Amino acid sequence: MNKTLTFTNQLLFWGVLLSLQTLVGCSSNSDQLPTGEVHGTVTYLGKPLPAGSVTFIPDGTGKAAAGEIQADGTYTLTTYSKGDGATIGSHKVMIISEKDTSELPAESAEANVDLSLIPEKYGMSPKTSGLTAEVKAGDNEINFNLE
């Protein structure tokens, strides 16, 4: 009877240990999919966009990645932590770029006209943009030349 109790205690010990390892694994970043660094330049009619955002939406599962367009038209994507890129795989892409009206009074006619610096199709939805990208492990330079 003493041997059975010892064997049962050993089973209980290993079961608890495995359960704790599983719980610790689930509470860490294990739900984060692998990413590839993504950066590039966005131009419209051959000129760099001075402001806006780029968003990559994965075709499968995963979190979207986004990045701010800098004054020189460059961007760097972030999914989980700054600059980590986008999840590996195929993505649909949206780009939004609008005039800065922060200095204009709200009632100004200029503040209430079409604010988009690019055709709205690029920022309306990932289905209408027509933009796609393939992200691979490692460094990815993905440029967008909008017309």
Side-chain angles (χ1 to χ4, degrees):
M1 178 155 182
N2 198 9
K3 285 185 180 181
T4 305
L5 186 58
T6 304
F7 180 72
T8 303
N9 284 341
Q10 286 180 349
L11 282 177
L12 182 61
F13 170 78
W14 288 110
V16 169
L17 184 64
L18 289 173
S19 296
L20 286 174
Q21 286 178 330
T22 302
L23 287 175
V24 169
C26 289
S27 67
S28 69
N29 293 335
S30 63
D31 59 339
Q32 292 184 0
L33 298 173
T35 59
E37 294 176 12
V38 179
H39 58 91
T41 303
V42 182
T43 60
Y44 177 59
L45 299 176
K47 296 180 181 175
L49 279 180
S53 64
V54 178
T55 305
F56 279 40
I57 299 104
D59 285 347
T61 59
K63 185 177 174 186
E68 186 177 328
I69 299 171
Q70 304 302 308
D72 63 355
T74 60
Y75 72 95
T76 300
L77 292 184
T78 295
T79 299
Y80 304 110
S81 60
K82 186 173 174 106
D84 66 351
T87 56
I88 295 170
S90 299
H91 298 261
K92 290 185 175 40
V93 180
M94 291 185 351
I95 299 175
I96 297 172
S97 184
E98 296 182 340
K99 297 174 189 168
D100 180 10
T101 60
S102 61
E103 301 294 321
L104 298 173
E107 62 277 354
S108 165
E110 191 178 348
N112 293 307
V113 296
D114 181 23
L115 301 176
S116 186
L117 295 174
I118 58 176
E120 289 185 7
K121 73 174 186 173
Y122 294 118
M124 293 288 286
S125 121
K127 294 178 182 175
T128 63
S129 77
L131 302 173
T132 60
E134 185 71 28
V135 177
K136 297 180 167 80
D139 185 55
N140 296 265
E141 181 176 343
I142 302 175
N143 300 315
F144 295 98
N145 302 306
L146 310 179
E147 296 179 359

